[in-house]
Amino acid sequence: MDTIRVWDLPTRLFHWLLVAAIGFLWYSGGEGEALMVWHMRAGYLVLGLVIFRIIWGLWGSRHSRFAAFLAGPRRTLDYGKAFARGRAPVFAGHNPLGGWMVMLMLLSLLVQTATGLFATDDISLEGPLSGQVGGATARALTDIHFWNFDLLLILIAAHVAAVLLHRLLGEPLLAAMLTGRKRVPDEAGPDLAFVPWWRALLVALPVAGAIYWLVS
């Protein structure tokens, strides 16, 4: 085994900011009006993070790109069978199942934040865009907002379980997302395909500006 750099700093910052923001959204969502303003602000942060990650998946470093970890059905199924038999290969980046979990979570987060912009309780709380649609549409989007969060919690639980299982099998995925470095088979060789850090700013700043304009 050899230890190489895998995850760039923007990807790691995205991951841990998202963890913190989702944790706060879960907490603040059950605290009524007291924290609702901050709940919405955290939602704007998550929306910005998701949009950033989608663009970074096309323009970021090698292992952050969707093309590097999205596999077809056959390859994904073969990996699942090998994993069930305890013979799954170690990937420098996301494995095929992990790659599709990333996409499911991004999709769920996008639905969650988008519907939150239109959500309303028909009393005193409403998203910044709820007035742009009819009452029935706002209530339907609010229902989706609540239902989708349950789905998101299931996806998060599955993700955490997979990380723990990989750790038991000797693959410390959590440590890799902290340090950016990961142990991989020697034949994988060094991988220094990292884009310059300022490229992340070229993505993050316009995204932040667009979110601010949208909610203002």
Side-chain angles (χ1 to χ4, degrees):
M1 303 291 285
D2 190 20
T3 301
I4 64 171
R5 292 177 63 208
V6 172
W7 302 118
D8 57 29
L9 181 59
T11 299
R12 287 180 282 144
L13 285 176
F14 157 81
H15 181 274
W16 295 114
L17 284 173
L18 187 64
V19 169
I22 292 176
F24 181 77
L25 286 172
W26 172 79
Y27 170 74
S28 60
E31 292 298 306
E33 295 186 33
L35 289 176
M36 192 50 60
V37 171
W38 287 101
H39 179 87
M40 290 191 291
R41 289 172 179 171
Y44 306 153
L45 173 61
V46 172
L47 178 59
L49 288 172
V50 170
I51 295 174
F52 169 85
R53 184 64 183 90
I54 292 173
I55 299 174
W56 200 243
L58 302 172
W59 205 43
S61 300
R62 175 181 174 183
H63 291 301
S64 300
R65 296 193 181 197
F66 301 136
F69 59 77
L70 288 183
R74 173 59 66 86
R75 187 182 175 199
T76 303
L77 182 60
D78 289 344
Y79 175 84
K81 291 178 179 177
F83 185 81
R85 295 194 298 265
R87 299 177 182 176
V90 175
F91 287 78
H94 292 299
N95 61 60
L97 286 177
W100 285 110
M101 175 59 76
V102 168
M103 299 307 294
L104 285 174
M105 292 185 70
L106 287 177
L107 177 60
S108 181
L109 287 166
L110 191 59
V111 170
Q112 189 67 19
T113 52
T115 55
L117 296 174
F118 299 91
T120 178
D121 66 354
D122 287 327
I123 302 175
S124 59
L125 299 175
E126 59 182 26
L129 300 183
S130 62
Q132 304 301 314
V133 297
T137 300
R139 286 189 292 273
L141 292 172
T142 302
D143 289 340
I144 295 173
H145 188 70
F146 282 106
W147 297 336
N148 183 73
F149 193 70
D150 291 336
L151 171 61
L152 182 59
L153 290 178
I154 293 172
L155 293 175
I156 291 173
H159 175 64
V160 171
V163 170
L164 293 175
L165 182 56
H166 277 274
R167 183 64 187 90
L168 292 174
L169 296 175
E171 189 178 359
L173 301 181
L174 185 62
M177 191 54 70
L178 284 168
T179 66
R181 305 181 70 86
K182 186 177 180 181
R183 296 185 68 205
V184 297
D186 293 333
E187 57 269 20
D191 187 352
L192 302 178
F194 286 81
V195 299
W197 64 269
W198 49 261
R199 185 180 290 189
L201 290 179
L202 293 181
V203 176
L205 292 178
V207 168
I211 297 298
Y212 179 80
W213 173 83
L214 179 68
V215 302
S216 296

